[in-house]
Amino acid sequence: MEEKKELNSLKDIINIKFDMFGDKTAFLEKNPETREFEKIPYSKVKKDVNALGTVMLEKFNLKNEKIAVIGENSYRWYVSYMAVVCGVGIVVPLDKELPANEILNLLQRSEAKCIIYSSRKKDIILEIKDKLPEDMVFIEMNKKDSDKESYSFDKLIEEGKELLDTGNTDYIDIKINREEFKILLFTSGTTAEAKGVMLSHKNLCSNILNCWHLVPKIGTYTYLSLLPMHHTYEFSLVYLLGTSTGSTIGICEGIKYIAKDMKEVKPDLICAVPALIEKLSQKIDKAIEDTGKEKLIRTAGKVATGFSKIGLDFRRTLFKSVQENFGGNLKYLFCGAAPIDKEIINKLESYGFVFMQGFGVTEGSPLLCATTFDNREPGTCGKAVYGGELRIDLSKNEDKESKIGEILAKGDNIMIGYYKDEAKTKETIKDGWLYTGDVGYFNERGNLVITGRTKNVIVTSNGKNIYPEELETLINRIPLVEESMVYGAKNSKNKQELIVTAKVTLNNEYIEEKYKDVKLNKEQIHNLIWEEIKKINRTLVSYKAIKKLEIKEDEFIKTTTMKIKRFAELEKDKKNKKTKK
């Protein structure tokens, strides 16, 4: 693979890379009127970014101000982000799923002077508008004409192009200091209040360079963007990496359109989270079951995988019908945000997909390590990315024989610090090492295995550590279970001891199909699941055994990357118990 020249800043993507790619298709976006995917070339993207940046400086004087961006994934979202970060000010991507009070809170905390929002967020913006500064600039992405309420995104692009045509190059000529704070990302807050992560061009460009080395021929692929753009995992690994290498990015219309959009876009690569990968796996399982030849097909997959290890790989030909469900070209599945069951990985690899697992945090821009095309070991997250370092901190271990400890990371991709929180920054970054809050160990091949989060660890009365994520992986294999969350519940009889408790949601589709001739009541379902948990317990050391099962009727509270918000779930339980009293 040829070496790529390091990017000095994200502006190099616009000014250097986009000129190289010219009229090649950068984005595929569904036209809401024709319902067809339209091609947007790199040449247009560059003009639109420069036009928006120019008008934001000239018309609104937003130099060095903080500008929030919120909305569903779209071409306009990408243009907004790049226009701000490449010369206007500090971009503040916000989660589109946040309620009005949280959006207001983050706008106030960030001291944003402008918000660019999609028309679907119009009502929420109007709801909080009178609580925002009088000089706040409101730009609506899908609005036809500007008025006293807000400016039309498209009209501003037109004004910017007119300014450029008159010779205004103020925006284009701006030089980027790659060390400066230019991106403010609020973490999803799975355990507490969202923290503001400050990133620089150096941080993100370092991560782009790291990713160039993951798979061969990286710039020849078509992606399908599935995850929210405000999340650094999706934006860095799909949008920044993709546009820096000349790839084409298809923008999915939403979760319910994934299957349809895959067939139309025909992606080579997707970045996903375990919940999406598991759904994809279930879809394949259902298609195979419907053939009535499940055992034969599974055996064929294992045999084909064996042959692939000696250079005879015919899995994609053998499972062509499976591939066609996802457009026919899908080869690379990249999974991040949380650990995934290695049985699922092995199964997907047997059908001809190349599965890669990564580990990262927002504070790391985000990728810290990953398996690669040449180093794929299911159940691990590979080695540190190109140019980065990882180590395990064992200093706090009471069990001196344990190799499990907090994961530390170092490199140019590590954040500047937390916004207006020097104490938290000093607590998290020590001597250049980022303390990730995640726990793991290096296996005999030097690959990182994630075991959980430090804040999620259940510590027994005799000092043993139980990592909930390990138990959840086993519980989630039970067909009756959709999702699970393991936690340590207080023991009313012995306050020193915690009860290892599994809270689960039901796979109702499976239950209805499997037990369609029998109407199961809640107690029967509970007993069926508990019998499976007892089987799991027999495979565990005694202190890890699950002692209690709770069945949850509603869905878990989640982040936009589909991770369960443990802290919020436990707080909700506390409130419910108080209400019942």
Side-chain angles (χ1 to χ4, degrees):
M1 177 180 161
E2 69 170 302
E3 287 293 315
K4 304 286 194 303
K5 185 180 178 183
E6 185 176 355
L7 296 168
N8 181 64
S9 73
L10 298 183
K11 198 160 186 171
D12 285 353
I13 298 176
I14 304 296
N15 289 341
I16 300 173
K17 297 292 183 178
F18 282 17
D19 285 345
M20 291 168 54
F21 308 140
D23 289 329
K24 184 178 180 182
T25 300
F27 296 100
L28 294 169
E29 184 171 49
K30 185 67 69 82
N31 183 310
E33 295 178 2
T34 65
R35 305 301 302 149
E36 299 289 333
F37 275 101
E38 292 185 347
K39 296 178 180 180
I40 302 171
Y42 277 95
S43 54
K44 173 177 168 55
V45 186
K46 178 176 179 176
K47 289 174 184 174
D48 287 352
V49 168
N50 285 336
L52 184 60
T54 298
V55 78
M56 290 179 88
L57 290 182
E58 186 72 22
K59 189 181 184 78
F60 304 121
N61 193 28
L62 288 168
K63 180 66 176 170
N64 295 325
E65 298 291 358
K66 297 183 188 74
I67 296 150
V69 183
I70 187 169
E72 61 279 3
N73 289 8
S74 69
Y75 167 66
R76 290 180 177 90
W77 203 107
Y78 176 89
V79 170
S80 300
Y81 182 108
M82 294 300 279
V84 174
V85 85
C86 290
V88 177
I90 296 166
V91 68
V92 187
L94 297 179
D95 181 351
K96 67 181 175 64
E97 299 300 332
L98 291 174
N101 64 308
E102 277 300 306
I103 293 172
L104 176 62
N105 174 39
L106 296 183
L107 287 173
Q108 291 174 336
R109 280 180 61 189
S110 66
E111 302 168 300
K113 293 292 185 182
C114 170
I115 181 166
I116 307 173
Y117 57 96
S118 74
S119 294
R120 291 182 191 175
K121 308 307 296 181
K122 178 182 176 181
D123 290 343
I124 283 183
I125 300 303
L126 288 174
E127 183 181 334
I128 63 175
K129 191 171 184 178
D130 62 346
K131 297 181 181 68
L132 293 169
E134 287 186 10
D135 60 350
M136 187 86 164
V137 177
F138 297 89
I139 301 173
E140 190 175 327
M141 292 183 191
N142 315 92
K143 189 170 189 171
K144 188 175 180 181
D145 295 303
S146 299
D147 56 32
K148 63 180 182 179
E149 293 291 340
S150 62
Y151 292 93
S152 158
F153 180 95
D154 290 346
K155 290 297 182 184
L156 290 178
I157 293 282
E158 289 177 16
E159 286 184 45
K161 287 179 179 176
E162 289 173 6
L163 288 167
L164 289 169
D165 288 342
T166 63
N168 186 324
T169 61
D170 291 349
Y171 174 81
I172 292 172
D173 293 340
I174 289 172
K175 304 298 180 188
I176 301 296
N177 180 343
R178 72 194 308 262
E179 307 277 347
E180 279 185 347
F181 161 41
K182 287 297 176 185
I183 302 99
L184 177 56
L185 295 161
F186 287 100
T187 60
S188 54
T190 56
T191 55
E193 185 185 61
K195 299 183 289 290
V197 174
M198 299 187 292
L199 298 180
S200 66
H201 282 256
K202 181 181 81 171
N203 295 149
L204 292 174
C205 288
S206 168
N207 223 244
I208 294 168
L209 177 65
N210 298 342
C211 297
W212 277 339
H213 298 261
L214 293 181
V215 294
K217 300 179 181 176
I218 188 75
T220 63
Y221 302 133
T222 294
Y223 296 72
L224 182 63
S225 170
L226 305 175
L227 302 175
M229 291 177 79
H230 80 274
H231 199 281
T232 185
Y233 168 37
E234 180 74 358
F235 200 77
S236 291
L237 270 70
V238 174
Y239 288 88
L240 293 180
L241 175 62
T243 54
S244 73
T245 55
S247 299
T248 296
I249 301 168
I251 301 172
C252 184
E253 299 169 87
I255 297 296
K256 66 179 181 180
Y257 296 102
I258 289 177
K260 184 174 182 294
D261 286 357
M262 274 196 175
K263 289 182 179 178
E264 292 183 42
V265 172
K266 302 184 186 301
D268 302 286
L269 187 153
I270 60 169
C271 287
V273 291
L276 281 177
I277 295 292
E278 286 160 10
K279 292 290 184 186
L280 184 150
S281 177
Q282 289 168 10
K283 183 178 179 182
I284 294 173
D285 288 345
K286 183 71 169 62
I288 288 173
E289 285 171 17
D290 290 345
T291 66
K293 301 176 182 178
E294 184 180 355
K295 196 170 182 180
L296 177 65
I297 291 170
R298 300 252 188 254
T299 302
K302 290 176 183 177
V303 171
T305 299
F307 274 108
S308 72
K309 292 175 181 177
I310 58 171
L312 297 172
D313 195 350
F314 48 83
R315 288 172 295 178
R316 292 188 68 80
T317 302
L318 184 64
F319 295 107
K320 187 179 179 182
S321 59
V322 171
Q323 303 285 339
E324 285 174 350
N325 283 319
F326 307 101
N329 296 333
L330 186 61
K331 184 176 182 181
Y332 297 107
L333 305 176
F334 193 92
C335 187
I340 189 168
D341 189 344
K342 64 181 180 182
E343 286 192 7
I344 292 176
I345 299 173
N346 288 327
K347 180 169 61 178
L348 292 172
E349 288 253 349
S350 75
Y351 299 138
F353 297 109
V354 175
F355 192 96
M356 291 178 293
Q357 175 81 23
F359 162 64
V361 291
T362 304
E363 293 87 340
S365 307
L367 198 63
L368 300 175
C369 68
T371 58
T372 65
F373 185 76
D374 299 317
N375 176 36
R376 303 198 311 280
E377 185 180 3
T380 80
C381 292
K383 296 179 172 63
V385 290
Y386 180 83
E389 296 178 66
L390 289 176
R391 77 180 190 196
I392 304 295
D393 178 20
L394 302 175
S395 64
K396 298 173 186 174
N397 285 9
E398 291 184 19
D399 182 354
K400 298 304 177 186
E401 294 183 7
S402 174
K403 294 180 180 178
I404 299 174
E406 184 170 2
I407 301 162
L408 313 186
K410 198 175 195 179
D412 285 346
N413 54 321
I414 303 303
M415 68 170 180
I416 297 167
Y418 291 116
Y419 184 62
K420 293 189 174 182
D421 196 341
E422 191 175 340
K424 187 68 179 174
T425 299
K426 287 180 178 178
E427 179 188 321
T428 308
I429 302 176
K430 302 172 187 175
D431 297 323
W433 288 94
L434 174 72
Y435 284 67
T436 65
D438 288 280
V439 181
Y441 64 93
F442 293 115
N443 69 9
E444 61 280 359
R445 293 178 59 181
N447 289 322
L448 181 68
V449 179
I450 309 290
T451 55
R453 292 281 297 169
T454 54
K455 291 180 180 178
N456 299 341
V457 173
I458 301 167
V459 183
T460 67
S461 58
N462 58 0
K464 296 289 187 181
N465 289 341
I466 301 169
Y467 298 98
E469 293 85 351
E470 292 181 330
L471 298 178
E472 288 159 7
T473 296
L474 299 174
I475 295 167
N476 290 345
R477 291 176 185 171
I478 300 171
L480 295 94
V481 172
E482 182 70 24
E483 289 181 294
S484 65
M485 184 186 94
V486 173
Y487 69 100
K490 289 183 179 179
N491 188 338
S492 58
K493 296 179 181 178
N494 180 1
K495 291 183 179 180
Q496 299 300 314
E497 189 63 75
L498 294 172
I499 301 169
V500 181
T501 304
K503 185 190 290 284
V504 306
T505 56
L506 300 177
N507 183 344
N508 290 313
E509 189 177 330
Y510 172 85
I511 293 170
E512 288 170 11
E513 178 67 26
K514 180 75 175 177
Y515 301 97
K516 56 188 174 186
D517 298 326
V518 185
K519 185 72 175 176
L520 296 176
N521 59 36
K522 290 181 181 180
E523 184 180 354
Q524 289 171 317
I525 293 171
H526 184 283
N527 291 340
L528 285 169
I529 296 172
W530 185 245
E531 285 303 313
E532 294 301 315
I533 286 177
K534 286 198 289 188
K535 291 178 187 177
I536 291 170
N537 283 342
R538 288 195 283 271
T539 69
L540 303 170
V541 292
S542 58
Y543 71 85
K544 289 185 179 180
I546 299 155
K547 302 291 200 314
K548 185 179 177 183
L549 169 66
E550 297 173 352
I551 295 177
K552 182 176 166 63
E553 294 187 4
D554 57 338
E555 288 191 9
F556 285 110
I557 304 168
K558 296 178 187 174
T559 69
T560 46
T561 51
M562 302 182 193
K563 288 188 284 188
I564 294 171
K565 289 190 173 185
R566 294 172 188 270
F567 180 80
E569 277 292 335
L570 296 176
E571 284 297 305
K572 183 179 175 184
D573 284 348
K574 285 180 187 176
K575 288 178 182 177
N576 289 342
K577 286 174 184 175
K578 285 180 181 178
T579 304
K580 287 179 182 178
K581 287 179 181 178

